[in-house]
Amino acid sequence: MPRRGNVSMSVIRRLPRYYRFLNHLKDKGVTRISSTELSVKLGLTASQIRQDLNCFGGFGQQGYGYIVSQLCDEIANILSLSNGYRTILFGAGNLGRAIGTHMSFRQEGFQLIGVFDNSPSRVGKELANLIVRDVSEMEEFCRKEKPVVAVFCLPREAAAELTEKLYGMGIRNFWNFSHFDLAMEYPDAIVENVHLSDSLMTLCYRISNPPVEK
Amino acid sequence: MPRRGNVSMSVIRRLPRYYRFLNHLKDKGVTRISSTELSVKLGLTASQIRQDLNCFGGFGQQGYGYIVSQLCDEIANILSLSNGYRTILFGAGNLGRAIGTHMSFRQEGFQLIGVFDNSPSRVGKELANLIVRDVSEMEEFCRKEKPVVAVFCLPREAAAELTEKLYGMGIRNFWNFSHFDLAMEYPDAIVENVHLSDSLMTLCYRISNPPVEK
DNA sequence: TAGATTGTTAATCGATTAACAATC
DNA sequence: TAGATTGTTAATCGATTAACAATC
């Protein structure tokens, strides 16, 4: 298998989409697919799909195409979805609750082991089969449970403060919904940002400036 | 001002980040900034920032830099954040609730005017100062209230079904959290996807394949 | 074997960066 | 005027697409 270290982000970000779509095909009972068919259904070029997959290995068969279930497994493997990284979630408000309950962390390579909040009205309540803890318990919890990923569903300031502590405790991986710019402050951290308002503003721009028609 | 029709998506997707950061600076009382300072704080090149902004006009002053509050206003204007597009939300589950209450739609160019769900346990409850309606009321509501944007916080199948109806009623703009591939089925629709599980899987990959250190 | 489709190299296209003249 | 920083053109870099030989 080719060296993984230098696969571009553009490629990596397409993998989950391939994975989702192939799973969908598998569920529908499709067993075999060519890069051309895939390209039509995903709105990409067949060339790009083959290039992308060949960053990781040759998963197809010449003259035949790809076996759907096999390719699914390969991509799950590339994405490392079976690690079950131990994960803690901060913020049990509406967003935290949605992320905690709505996501199938397990299926996506993670295992949610703790939820924290600083509001007494939320502490003690249930969320995703866990009891919401007070943030003050965080340090002890981490020493004992050794989480490796933190999810931030709280405001910018709280995220900034928390990151310092978590970083100090050795946590380097973050799924960040806050407006705090983690990646700039901690260059060796792995940060995946989800900026919902950015997405909404982009939509606003696109609605206001629709593509010029011919 | 240069033609807007052909500004690349890469540029557009950076605008909300500029906007957020400039607002942050404004709040901190910073009045003036150069592209070089900005580039350091955002982790981009000064050249790129200037190129990006100059797709829309010359907002700086040679020898001086940019006036923070003015640039903020300009970007808000480029993004068209004052339109207040009439928006309806589908799905009052955890995710819909988070999106409806957590987002300041108003501030990001939208106005939430209706929330729909098909579960009797949710219909009639309050969400973001609105009463959750049954999906069966959707058609009448749309005829009367003329929304232009739909937000999908529901499962793939429900989204697929709903899109057909909404499209039939003339709605062409979608903020899509579902796994339904709207953009492929309706090529003339403007679709902004937020795939939370894709983001999580990307994080999983990145944790498992950290950048090679020197 | 003939037909199909991959894996891979080469060509193209677009986005980012560098450089510098314009100008505040 | 001298210094600074923009706006903009030109050079570079990387990502996408096209082409085709390998092979099932």
Side-chain angles (χ1 to χ4, degrees), chain B residues 61-127:
Chain B
Q61 288 166 241
Q62 272 116 330
Y64 177 88
Y66 299 86
I67 296 166
V68 173
S69 66
Q70 189 196 309
L71 191 52
C72 259
D73 293 348
E74 292 288 2
I75 299 180
N77 185 42
I78 293 164
L79 291 169
S80 306
L81 298 185
S82 58
N83 277 327
Y85 291 117
R86 293 167 76 78
T87 303
I88 50 180
L89 165 66
F90 292 90
N94 279 305
L95 188 58
R97 185 159 294 278
I99 296 304
T101 59
H102 171 271
M103 302 299 299
S104 5
F105 280 96
R106 187 82 48 150
Q107 214 175 293
E108 270 120 25
F110 299 83
Q111 187 193 352
L112 191 61
I113 59 168
V115 181
F116 298 85
D117 202 294
N118 60 5
S119 156
S121 68
R122 289 170 190 157
V123 172
K125 299 259 167 66
E126 204 217 287
L127 199 165

Side-chain angles (χ1 to χ4, degrees), chain B residues 17-153:
Chain B
R17 178 141 187 258
Y18 296 155
Y19 183 65
R20 262 194 297 125
F21 189 75
L22 288 163
N23 263 303
H24 183 61
L25 285 179
K26 195 170 69 174
D27 292 348
K28 287 204 305 183
V30 180
T31 56
R32 176 196 148 175
I33 195 152
S34 71
S35 60
T36 307
E37 287 175 87
L38 259 179
S39 74
V40 171
K41 303 203 183 198
L42 291 173
L44 305 168
T45 64
S47 209
Q48 181 167 64
I49 293 173
R50 294 204 301 277
Q51 284 273 26
D52 284 355
L53 295 176
N54 287 324
C55 291
F56 304 97
F59 305 127
Q61 288 166 241
Q62 272 116 330
Y64 177 88
Y66 299 86
I67 296 166
V68 173
S69 66
Q70 189 196 309
L71 191 52
C72 259
D73 293 348
E74 292 288 2
I75 299 180
N77 185 42
I78 293 164
L79 291 169
S80 306
L81 298 185
S82 58
N83 277 327
Y85 291 117
R86 293 167 76 78
T87 303
I88 50 180
L89 165 66
F90 292 90
N94 279 305
L95 188 58
R97 185 159 294 278
I99 296 304
T101 59
H102 171 271
M103 302 299 299
S104 5
F105 280 96
R106 187 82 48 150
Q107 214 175 293
E108 270 120 25
F110 299 83
Q111 187 193 352
L112 191 61
I113 59 168
V115 181
F116 298 85
D117 202 294
N118 60 5
S119 156
S121 68
R122 289 170 190 157
V123 172
K125 299 259 167 66
E126 204 217 287
L127 199 165
N129 295 316
L130 296 164
I131 302 296
V132 178
R133 292 179 156 84
D134 193 281
V135 216
S136 62
E137 299 175 35
M138 184 270 281
E139 262 129 333
E140 205 197 318
F141 182 91
C142 287
R143 271 190 290 274
K144 218 159 105 186
E145 299 292 341
K146 306 258 180 276
V148 294
V149 185
V151 183
F152 285 163
C153 293

Side-chain angles (χ1 to χ4, degrees), chain A residues 160-178:
Chain A
E161 206 180 308
L162 214 42
T163 310
E164 208 182 321
K165 284 186 191 160
L166 291 167
Y167 190 90
M169 304 202 68
I171 295 182
R172 293 289 178 276
N173 307 301
F174 299 88
W175 199 25
N176 178 40
F177 289 76
S178 85

Side-chain angles (χ1 to χ4, degrees), chain A residues 39-195:
Chain A
S39 74
V40 170
K41 303 204 183 201
L42 292 171
L44 305 168
T45 64
S47 210
Q48 181 167 64
I49 293 172
R50 293 203 302 276
Q51 285 274 26
D52 284 355
L53 295 175
N54 286 325
C55 291
F56 305 98
F59 305 127
Q61 288 166 240
Q62 271 115 328
Y64 178 87
Y66 300 86
I67 296 165
V68 173
S69 66
Q70 189 196 309
L71 191 51
C72 259
D73 293 349
E74 293 288 3
I75 299 182
N77 186 42
I78 293 165
L79 292 169
S80 306
L81 297 185
S82 58
N83 277 327
Y85 291 118
R86 292 166 77 78
T87 302
I88 50 181
L89 166 65
F90 292 91
N94 280 306
L95 188 58
R97 185 161 293 278
I99 297 304
T101 60
H102 171 271
M103 302 297 302
S104 3
F105 280 95
R106 186 82 50 151
Q107 214 175 293
E108 270 119 27
F110 298 84
Q111 185 192 355
L112 191 61
I113 60 168
V115 181
F116 297 85
D117 200 296
N118 60 5
S119 155
S121 68
R122 288 171 191 157
V123 172
K125 298 257 167 68
E126 204 217 287
L127 199 165
N129 294 317
L130 296 164
I131 302 298
V132 179
R133 293 180 155 84
D134 193 282
V135 216
S136 63
E137 299 175 35
M138 183 270 281
E139 262 130 332
E140 205 196 317
F141 182 91
C142 286
R143 270 190 289 274
K144 219 161 103 185
E145 299 292 342
K146 306 254 178 282
V148 294
V149 184
V151 183
F152 284 163
C153 292
L154 31 68
R156 182 191 195 109
E157 288 69 28
E161 206 180 308
L162 214 42
T163 310
E164 208 182 321
K165 284 186 191 160
L166 291 167
Y167 190 90
M169 304 202 68
I171 295 182
R172 293 289 178 276
N173 307 301
F174 299 88
W175 199 25
N176 178 40
F177 289 76
S178 85
H179 284 177
F180 174 58
D181 209 332
L182 262 153
M184 278 286 93
E185 310 271 337
Y186 302 88
D188 69 329
I190 292 174
V191 184
E192 189 65 24
N193 290 306
V194 180
H195 291 310

